[in-house]
Amino acid sequence: MTGAGGTTAARHVIGAGDIPVDTPRVPAREAAESELSKPMYHENDPNFLQRGLNHVWDWVAGVFDAAAGAAPGGPAGLVVLVLVVIGLAVALWWRLGTPQRSSRPADALFENDGPRSAAQHRAAADAHAAALRWTEAVQERMRALVRSLEERALLDSRPGRTADEAAAEAGRALPDHATRLRSAARDFDDVTYGGRTAGQPTYLALRALDTELDEAKPVLPGASRGATG
């Protein structure tokens, strides 16, 4: 029973199922992947968007964790630093105000190239007129007129004032010229913003008005009331 024949019989018994047969590694892995790829195992998996958001939040959490580790005092120190930064931002906003592109209206009389005197505007107007550039001559002469009134304190120096506003304000101090001032303001707006081309007569009329206003005496409110009474 213990001879060669017995040994062979024992081997057949063992091979029949007492000891499991080892499966090679690669086929086993492929079998597992095939099994796990079945839809029944992925019914509750997050979709593509959810996975993307999870990655983003994981990255943000990692950044904050790193910042908390580097900040003095750990997470509490990080909170203090964030509050300090927010406080500085609020203080700057309160001090400087909201940013604006420009405080100059689109139809402002003067450009943002620095203030110039009435004499400088008149010289520029004469140079344009000599070159027959009547549109530019009208623009500079109107600016000279208004600047002259500002220099005489008949108008306050206010950035962003329009030609119409200047004419209305000057007309109250110089009522005898109010109609011509309004006409000059319309001419300025037409050639500057309305696309009209000025001619020599328009410029000569504006130059004459500028010369007359330079010598005109204003009507003060007190004097006007006294003359009426």
Side-chain angles (χ1 to χ4, degrees):
M1 296 295 296
T2 59
T7 303
T8 301
R11 287 176 179 175
H12 282 296
V13 172
I14 293 175
D18 290 345
I19 299 177
V21 178
D22 292 336
T23 304
R25 181 177 300 175
V26 174
R29 184 183 62 191
E30 292 176 349
E33 291 176 352
S34 176
E35 178 66 22
L36 294 176
S37 65
K38 294 180 180 180
M40 60 181 294
Y41 295 106
H42 302 280
E43 293 178 354
N44 298 319
D45 286 357
N47 57 33
F48 178 78
L49 178 59
Q50 291 173 329
R51 291 197 300 272
L53 291 176
N54 290 338
H55 285 304
V56 171
W57 284 118
D58 290 343
W59 177 80
V60 172
V63 171
F64 275 98
D65 289 342
L78 178 61
V79 172
V80 172
L81 289 177
V82 171
L83 292 176
V84 169
V85 171
I86 294 175
L88 290 174
V90 171
L92 287 174
W93 177 84
W94 183 266
R95 181 72 176 87
L96 301 178
T98 55
Q100 299 180 0
R101 289 185 300 175
S102 175
S103 59
R104 177 180 178 272
D107 56 349
L109 178 63
F110 294 99
E111 298 176 340
N112 285 334
D113 56 354
R116 291 190 292 170
S117 67
Q120 289 174 313
H121 284 295
R122 286 181 180 128
D126 290 339
H128 287 305
L132 305 182
R133 295 189 294 266
W134 302 115
T135 295
E136 292 83 354
V138 166
Q139 292 171 332
E140 287 300 320
R141 182 60 67 166
M142 185 63 186
R143 290 167 182 150
L145 184 155
V146 174
R147 184 69 78 203
S148 177
L149 295 176
E150 291 178 351
E151 292 173 353
R152 295 172 58 193
L154 298 181
L155 292 177
D156 62 311
S157 298
R158 190 174 75 242
R161 175 190 279 119
T162 65
D164 290 331
E165 292 171 344
E169 294 170 20
R172 289 192 286 269
L174 301 164
D176 293 340
H177 300 84
T179 300
R180 293 171 66 192
L181 280 165
R182 289 194 297 270
S183 178
R186 285 195 299 270
D187 289 336
F188 176 86
D189 289 340
D190 287 343
V191 301
T192 304
Y193 308 110
R196 186 169 69 85
T197 301
Q200 183 180 18
T202 302
Y203 174 71
L204 293 178
L206 184 53
R207 187 179 68 177
L209 176 61
D210 182 28
T211 301
E212 292 178 26
L213 291 180
D214 203 35
E215 300 175 354
K217 296 184 182 301
V219 176
L220 301 178
S224 175
R225 287 193 296 269
T228 303

